[in-house]
Amino acid sequence: MSTADLLYSDTEEALRDSVRHLFAERCPPESVARAYDPVPQDFSGVWQALAAELGVAGLLVPESLGGAGAGAREAAVVMEEIGRAVAPVPFLSSAVLAAVALLRAGDTETVSGLAQGKLTAALVVPLSTAPGDPVAGLSLGADGLTGAVSSVAGAAEADVLVVPLAGPDGLELHTVSRTAAGVQVSPLLALDMTRPLANVRFSGAASARVGPAEGAVADALATAAALLASEQLGVARWCFDTTLAYAKQRKQFGRAIGSYQAIKHRLADLWFEVGAATAVARYAADTCARGEEDAATAAAIAQAYCSGIAVHAAEECVQLHGGIGMTWEYPAHLYLKRAKSDQLALGTAYRHRARLGQLINLPVS
């Protein structure tokens, strides 16, 4: 086993700068808040710039298929910046979940389209599905694909739906065009509208078989769980940095509120938590990138810890900002919603702690 490297490389920092600059220019907080409008703002242009211009859609795809040939460490940096901006882009659903599943199943054509930003895809499983959870595939009858799946991330904006099916020889992976006959995608009203969810129903839809799905779906969920911790870290960092800056300049009774001992203690606790979250999130990304034996353990630890830290940081951000933190105009609510929705995505902290116990053979009393 090689030594873990938790530091960011020059390449990763350059990638961070490019992604952060793009988000600052294309989707500032006031623009992101329009995702909650009766007619939500279209952010497809932001995703196209991110996918095609910066090439992040192909970070996990080999160069031979038109991708960047990078890995989970680089993808984790992008996830951090997505969390920091609460960016409404389908990186997790398309470039991670769908791309990894298709890549493992052997679909080179669709993966190439995803890597080049020509296509967007969604893995048709509930976003709450945790690594290790059983995936109940839909059925394939004489008339085509039949069944329904609820709470699928990125389905409404995807060109291709990646569907696990219960075949005669086990779970299979099929692809279906979102606009095909017999496909109905119904957007849901979710807590976090910057990561849209939808119910997907198939009624005799035509599909194309890709290959066996057991290992493909498992790898996709494991990779996504490891990387989601980095998004939670990005949310927590923004909340801490913004709250610290506010506490330094906001004055009450003639002195900055950050000079009061009670505020100092809360910010010190939060600083420690964000630092610890950085370590576990980076370790999860590093072990995932190198395919280490303890990658699953690292991902479980990261998810069990980072999900709670993101929520705590967002709650402190709202509270320590006082009245302005409660307003719609101030973006704190966007981060609290993303943190709470991420806490349920790909398994709750309880589910990951239970999985951690299984992975390390911890006896259950």
Side-chain angles (χ1 to χ4, degrees):
M1 181 184 296
S2 55
T3 304
D5 179 9
L6 305 187
L7 301 178
Y8 297 95
S9 68
D10 291 342
T11 301
E12 290 163 358
E13 290 293 2
L15 175 62
R16 181 194 306 282
D17 290 343
S18 297
V19 174
R20 186 176 296 187
H21 178 76
L22 187 147
F23 286 154
E25 184 178 86
R26 302 287 186 92
C27 56
E30 59 271 18
S31 177
V32 174
R34 298 192 188 107
Y36 295 86
D37 289 350
V39 180
Q41 180 170 323
D42 182 11
F43 293 97
S44 59
V46 179
W47 172 240
Q48 281 302 311
L50 192 67
E53 294 177 19
L54 298 186
V56 303
L59 284 177
L60 300 178
V61 179
E63 292 182 90
S64 60
L65 297 179
R73 287 176 59 97
E74 291 80 7
V77 170
V78 175
M79 288 290 285
E80 281 186 43
E81 293 307 309
I82 289 173
R84 191 178 184 91
V86 199
V89 294
F91 181 80
L92 179 67
S93 57
S94 182
V96 180
L97 280 166
V100 171
L102 288 170
L103 192 61
R104 299 295 189 271
D107 185 340
T108 58
E109 183 177 352
T110 307
V111 167
S112 180
L114 295 178
Q116 297 173 45
K118 297 178 181 178
L119 296 172
T120 303
L123 181 63
V124 183
V125 298
L127 184 58
S128 59
T129 307
D133 283 355
V135 175
L138 301 181
S139 59
L140 184 63
D143 297 330
L145 180 58
T146 302
V149 181
S150 61
S151 303
V152 178
E157 55 201 331
D159 301 301
V160 179
L161 300 177
V162 184
V163 188
L165 296 182
D169 299 321
L171 208 61
E172 300 177 351
L173 208 62
H174 285 229
T175 55
V176 185
S177 172
R178 181 181 56 83
T179 58
V183 178
Q184 181 183 1
V185 178
S186 306
L188 295 174
L189 180 61
L191 172 64
D192 177 19
M193 295 301 289
T194 63
R195 176 164 286 145
L197 302 178
N199 291 336
V200 182
R201 180 175 296 276
F202 301 97
S203 304
S207 65
R209 185 182 186 279
V210 177
E214 289 284 0
V217 173
D219 285 350
L221 292 172
T223 303
L227 295 180
L228 184 62
S230 290
E231 178 175 288
Q232 293 161 342
L233 171 61
V235 169
R237 273 184 171 168
W238 183 93
C239 291
F240 173 75
D241 292 345
T242 304
T243 305
L244 178 61
Y246 182 79
K248 288 180 177 180
Q249 59 89 24
R250 179 73 171 95
K251 292 186 177 181
Q252 285 283 7
F253 306 109
R255 55 189 284 194
I257 63 173
S259 65
Y260 291 97
Q261 190 173 38
I263 303 297
K264 287 181 179 179
H265 285 175
R266 291 172 71 169
L267 287 172
D269 288 344
L270 195 57
W271 174 84
F272 177 82
E273 291 176 353
V274 173
T278 303
V280 295
R282 287 300 291 167
Y283 185 68
D286 184 66
T287 54
C288 180
R290 293 185 288 115
E292 291 287 344
E293 291 182 2
D294 63 341
T297 302
I301 294 173
Q303 274 296 290
Y305 185 76
C306 291
S307 61
I309 298 307
V311 171
H312 182 221
E315 290 173 341
E316 290 288 75
C317 180
V318 171
Q319 292 182 18
L320 295 180
H321 274 79
I324 192 175
M326 306 290 182
T327 64
W328 184 265
E329 289 74 20
Y330 198 75
H333 66 96
L334 299 174
Y335 292 85
L336 181 57
K337 291 168 183 172
R338 175 60 70 89
K340 289 298 292 184
S341 64
D342 277 359
Q343 196 175 36
L344 302 176
L346 302 172
T348 62
Y350 173 85
R351 178 69 185 86
H352 287 286
R353 286 193 292 269
R355 177 168 169 77
L356 177 61
Q358 297 170 351
L359 290 169
I360 63 175
N361 296 318
L362 184 68
V364 179
S365 57

